[in-house]
Amino acid sequence: MTVIEMKSGIIEEIQEWKEKRNAILLAHNYQLPEIQDIADVLGDSLQLARAAAETSADVIVFCGVHFMAETAAMLNPEKTVLLPDLEAGCSLADSITADQLRAWKAEHPGAVVVAYVNTTAEVKAESDYCCTSSNAVDIVRSIPEDKEILFLPDMFLGSFVQRETGRENMHIWMGECHVHAGIAPEHVEDVLTEHPEAELLVHPECGCSTSSMYLMSEGILPKDKTHILSTGNMLKHSKDSQADEFIVATEVGIIHQMQKQNPEKRFVPANRQAVCPFMKMITLEKVLDALKENKHVITVPADTAEKAKLSIERMISIG
């Protein structure tokens, strides 16, 4: 039996088990290509959170990382949420704990806490708003200007939001995603030299995002060809744009979907090494095992979920 035949057989079995269990398969844009191809909903963190909140399925199989499955579990306490690999974590979510956040809040009494969705349930429970890269600017703009803001945990996204909103009373936690932080300005410069006519798509978590904003403001990067976007908006922009070549500064997994949507266009990663090992842990075999053996059920303590739910609902409703 060939590899293609084996995969085809596993996919058929996954479809059968999905029907048996009334399950939905949610997958992030950074997943392996074969996982993206079988997903019922494929998207960024905000799109997947909304899909989890709206689904009528009994079982949610989350092909992403741990904090995403936690968010789905908090939105659906009556449903079964499965994460096919418990080791699928997130270096950014690990960069702040609930205890650290409580200590930070004590230093800034009365401040509004805006937490990126890449955080644990315990951190979300200590926050006033959650956000994703696609609505972080809208959420900060919705907060009264006289309110001090604690933004966490990603320093690159925080810097982008601060620059976009002009908020001077905004404090930023010094956390980072090790994959996005590894996409440096010199990577972008090198690829731009090789592809001078390409549009540049930059995720705001990237280590090159701050320099890209500065270079745009100085006229060194053309504003009409440089776009700082969430993964979901990168997909939309690359589909709608008249350009035929794009440099993509984010985790390379998204290029599979970009190429699939736009077979006539060319997509070049800013850094070919920008691969998240956690996002690549989930395989077809693990998805099948999850459905057959109920692996691995993700739950959140009721008191934590209750505290966190308001911040998550605010994230879903804005932007």
Side-chain angles (χ1 to χ4, degrees):
M1 184 180 289
T2 66
V3 172
I4 292 173
E5 288 172 331
M6 286 177 63
K7 285 189 176 181
S8 178
I10 293 171
I11 290 167
E12 285 180 17
E13 222 179 327
I14 287 170
Q15 298 300 340
E16 289 170 6
W17 275 92
K18 274 172 54 185
E19 289 180 22
K20 283 181 189 178
R21 300 201 61 185
N22 186 28
I24 186 172
L25 186 61
L26 307 183
H28 193 273
N29 293 318
Y30 298 157
Q31 289 288 296
L32 291 169
E34 54 262 39
I35 298 297
Q36 294 187 37
D37 290 344
I38 65 165
D40 296 302
V41 180
L42 177 66
D44 61 18
S45 297
L46 184 58
Q47 291 166 321
L48 297 179
R50 285 176 172 156
E54 295 165 3
T55 186
S56 59
D58 296 320
V59 177
I60 298 171
V61 181
F62 217 114
C63 298
V65 292
H66 196 273
F67 76 81
M68 297 178 181
E70 273 190 338
T71 302
M74 288 188 284
L75 290 168
N76 298 278
E78 76 290 353
K79 299 182 187 298
T80 300
V81 177
L82 303 175
L83 181 64
D85 192 323
L86 279 179
E87 297 301 311
C90 174
S91 62
L92 180 55
D94 290 342
S95 70
I96 187 167
T97 65
D99 284 342
Q100 287 173 315
L101 176 52
R102 281 188 283 268
W104 200 27
K105 286 166 67 175
E107 295 171 6
H108 301 274
V112 176
V113 179
V114 179
Y116 193 25
V117 71
N118 298 45
T119 46
T120 64
E122 290 78 14
V123 167
K124 289 181 175 74
E126 291 291 332
S127 305
D128 299 296
Y129 292 83
C130 277
C131 71
T132 69
S133 54
S134 59
N135 70 355
V137 170
D138 290 333
I139 283 176
V140 168
R141 282 180 175 153
S142 75
I143 298 167
E145 290 187 6
D146 62 337
K147 285 286 187 182
E148 196 175 14
I149 293 175
L150 303 182
F151 189 95
L152 61 101
D154 190 85
M155 60 182 175
F156 297 112
L157 177 60
S159 296
F160 168 72
V161 171
Q162 189 169 40
R163 191 178 183 101
E164 288 291 296
T165 61
R167 292 294 285 255
E168 295 182 2
N169 57 348
M170 182 170 153
H171 307 279
I172 301 168
W173 189 261
M174 293 291 105
E176 63 179 30
C177 159
H178 72 285
V179 176
H180 281 105
I183 304 174
E186 54 267 29
H187 295 130
V188 173
E189 289 167 15
D190 289 346
V191 181
L192 272 171
T193 301
E194 296 171 10
H195 305 272
E197 299 304 312
E199 285 198 355
L200 173 62
L201 309 183
V202 180
H203 193 282
E205 275 185 56
C206 287
C208 62
S209 62
T210 302
S211 65
S212 296
M213 287 188 291
Y214 172 74
L215 294 173
M216 272 197 294
S217 68
E218 294 294 306
I220 298 169
L221 284 178
K223 289 185 179 179
D224 61 332
K225 288 187 177 181
T226 306
H227 310 276
I228 299 178
L229 302 165
S230 67
T231 52
N233 285 326
M234 281 185 179
L235 284 164
K236 183 178 186 303
H237 179 85
S238 62
K239 188 175 182 180
D240 295 343
S241 173
Q242 296 302 305
D244 56 13
E245 189 173 38
F246 301 84
I247 296 166
V248 183
T250 190
E251 209 273 356
V252 297
I254 197 173
I255 291 177
H256 172 70
Q257 194 64 16
M258 286 176 160
Q259 201 70 73
K260 195 173 172 182
Q261 286 185 353
N262 310 278
E264 75 289 356
K265 298 181 181 181
R266 185 179 184 190
F267 299 92
V268 182
N271 181 354
R272 294 184 184 279
Q273 304 305 313
V275 178
C276 175
F278 299 117
M279 282 287 186
K280 303 300 188 272
M281 285 181 170
I282 294 174
T283 62
L284 291 175
E285 291 81 0
K286 290 176 184 177
V287 170
L288 181 57
D289 285 347
L291 285 163
K292 290 169 69 173
E293 301 177 26
N294 225 36
K295 289 178 162 178
H296 301 269
V297 178
I298 303 299
T299 59
V300 177
D303 58 337
T304 301
E306 186 63 31
K307 290 177 184 175
K309 198 170 182 184
L310 177 60
S311 64
I312 296 168
E313 288 174 343
R314 283 172 170 168
M315 173 187 76
I316 290 172
S317 68
I318 296 175

